[in-house]
């Protein structure tokens, strides 16, 4: 492989294939790749591509994020580079591009992960303006869902999710129930540096305060000298098995695609629905999923 090879891969979530794929969705992924390629370093490439996808209402990240049970948007995002630098935010509200706030955490603070009100406060102090990422379509959908849940009875708090689940299954349309449209980008630049960016609004009607795998280093996002990986899928499961770290560790001994295939086999054995994209230190790309569908683009 030539040492100057640059590579950028993006994903737009994984899950069930929607009956009808919205027009323009794949083009949005391809546009993000084109935009990402304008970055100078691997980190710039991954961040640029991720910002582009956060700004697209097709995806569950930034604008278009899904809503919590209370009707708010709480977003998670992380960036990491192959030399183990990292920044992340969990449950951040009221910003347009959580992935850039994550980068600011990495570059401007002594910390790696800021959450909730602290993350939002940091964003303001760092100069990120106020922004409401809720789209009219998501607000409308939230109202419908909550009205239907209420009509099904109001369960006591401690049993909430046990009783709610059948209602979610019944009322969320196939796509919303089964497709996690989190976004991620992995890049390798001409100097051989690798980086990853992942961003999400989480999962519909999550409890306020829930943080998924995306901002957890080693869970949904990880990079090391051997490569970089972004995950999508059921956050709780991905977190439990440390999937992005598993995949990166496998890159020590396997080319990227084989490493991702093995990591996904591990996820499947553990009953975790997940998808991965990755790039290794040589610039070899990879993608793998045990879900029905994971739209990606690369160049
Ligand atoms: N992994 C994300 C989460 O659980 C969801 C997704 O991939 O869409 O927060």
């Amino acid at each position: 492989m030539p040492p100057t090879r640059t590579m950028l891969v993006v994903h737009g979530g994984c899950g069930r294939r929607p009956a009808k794929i919205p027009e323009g969705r794949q083009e949005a992924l391809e546009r993000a790749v084109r935009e990402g390629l304008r970055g100078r370093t691997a980190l710039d490439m991954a961040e640029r591509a991720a910002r582009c996808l956060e700004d697209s209402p097709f995806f569950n990240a930034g604008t278009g994020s899904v809503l919590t049970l209370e009707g708010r948007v709480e977003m998670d995002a992380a960036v990491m580079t192959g030399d183990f630098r990292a920044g992340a935010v969990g449950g951040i509200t009221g910003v347009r591009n959580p992935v850039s706030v994550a980068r600011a955490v990495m570059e401007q603070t002594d910390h790696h992960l800021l959450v909730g009100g602290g993350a939002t406060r940091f964003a303001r102090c760092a100069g990120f303006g106020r922004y409401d990422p809720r789209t009219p379509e998501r607000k409308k959908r939230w109202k419908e869902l909550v009205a239907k849940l209420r009509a099904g009875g109001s369960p006591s708090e401690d049993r909430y999710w046990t009783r709610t689940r059948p209602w979610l299954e019944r009322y969320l349309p196939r796509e919303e129930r089964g497709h996690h449209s989190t976004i991620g980008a992995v890049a390798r630049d001409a100097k051989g540096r690798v980086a990853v960016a992942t961003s999400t609004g989480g999962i519909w009607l999550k409890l306020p305060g829930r943080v998924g795998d995306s901002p957890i280093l080693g869970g949904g996002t990880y990079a090391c000298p051997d490569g970089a990986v972004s995950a999508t899928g059921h956050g709780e499961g991905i977190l439990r098995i440390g999937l992005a770290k598993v995949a990166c560790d496998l890159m020590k001994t396997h080319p990227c695609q084989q490493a991702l295939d093995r990591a996904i086999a591990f996820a499947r054995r553990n009953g975790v629905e997940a998808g991965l994209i990755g790039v290794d230190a040589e610039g070899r790309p990879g993608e793998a999923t045990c879900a029905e569908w994971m739209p990606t683009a690369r160049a």
Side-chain angles (χ1 to χ4, degrees):
M1 227 47 82
T4 54
R5 180 176 191 181
T6 61
M7 177 55 64
L8 177 63
V9 187
V10 301
H11 72 72
C14 77
R16 296 185 190 140
R17 178 186 291 276
K20 190 170 178 297
I21 298 169
E23 207 179 311
R25 200 177 191 283
Q26 185 60 32
E27 166 52 25
L29 288 168
E30 274 146 29
R31 197 169 48 246
V33 169
R34 286 196 297 278
E35 178 58 31
L37 287 174
R38 295 170 59 194
R40 199 175 48 84
T41 64
L43 178 61
D44 290 342
M45 289 160 69
E47 184 199 3
R48 285 181 89 106
R51 281 175 67 101
C52 198
L53 294 168
E54 284 179 336
D55 288 343
S56 165
F58 286 123
F59 303 100
N60 169 22
T63 303
S65 289
V66 299
L67 275 51
T68 66
L69 202 52
E70 286 181 339
R72 298 179 77 208
V73 164
E74 296 182 1
M75 299 167 287
D76 301 335
V79 295
M80 188 161 182
T81 59
D83 55 356
F84 300 118
R85 292 185 306 139
V89 288
I92 192 167
T93 58
V95 294
R96 178 170 170 171
N97 293 111
V99 75
S100 296
V101 185
R103 181 170 178 171
V105 171
M106 177 175 103
E107 292 178 336
Q108 299 174 34
T109 79
D110 293 320
H111 310 303
H112 290 327
L113 172 61
L114 295 179
V115 301
T120 308
R121 177 131 199 271
F122 166 74
R124 297 290 172 257
C125 292
F128 293 88
R130 283 178 203 285
Y131 180 79
D132 184 353
R134 292 177 303 176
T135 60
E137 186 275 331
R138 297 289 199 216
K139 285 192 208 170
K140 183 170 161 276
R141 191 73 202 122
W142 179 83
K143 277 192 189 140
E144 286 166 10
L145 287 171
V146 169
K148 283 170 179 170
L149 279 174
R150 290 212 173 107
S154 79
S156 65
E157 226 177 333
D158 56 339
R159 304 238 194 109
Y160 196 74
W161 285 104
T162 336
R163 291 182 179 179
T164 304
R165 186 158 301 279
W167 291 105
L168 295 183
E169 295 292 324
R170 231 172 288 174
Y171 287 115
L172 279 173
R174 192 169 186 269
E175 299 87 277
E176 286 169 22
R177 174 163 30 105
H179 184 70
H180 311 286
S181 51
T182 286
I183 63 96
V186 291
R188 191 258 195 196
D189 64 28
K191 291 198 172 154
R193 293 171 291 209
V194 295
V196 52
T198 311
S199 182
T200 186
I203 292 182
W204 265 115
L205 303 184
K206 65 184 180 181
L207 290 185
R210 180 264 192 188
V211 173
D213 59 303
S214 308
I216 305 301
L217 308 175
T221 301
Y222 201 67
C224 67
D226 304 298
V229 170
S230 172
T232 172
H234 184 223
E236 280 71 7
I238 294 170
L239 259 179
R240 275 201 308 274
I241 63 172
L243 191 57
K245 175 79 164 66
V246 166
C248 278
D249 284 350
L250 282 162
M251 286 190 200
K252 286 187 207 322
T253 45
H254 297 78
C256 183
Q257 187 58 51
Q258 277 181 29
L260 300 193
D261 287 340
R262 283 177 183 236
I264 285 296
F266 172 68
R268 189 188 281 115
R269 281 200 301 280
N270 286 285
V272 176
E273 183 179 71
L276 295 171
I277 55 168
V279 64
D280 65 20
E282 274 72 53
R284 289 172 295 204
E287 59 183 74
T289 185
C290 54
E292 199 176 290
W293 189 56
M294 181 174 70
T296 63
R298 66 168 77 163

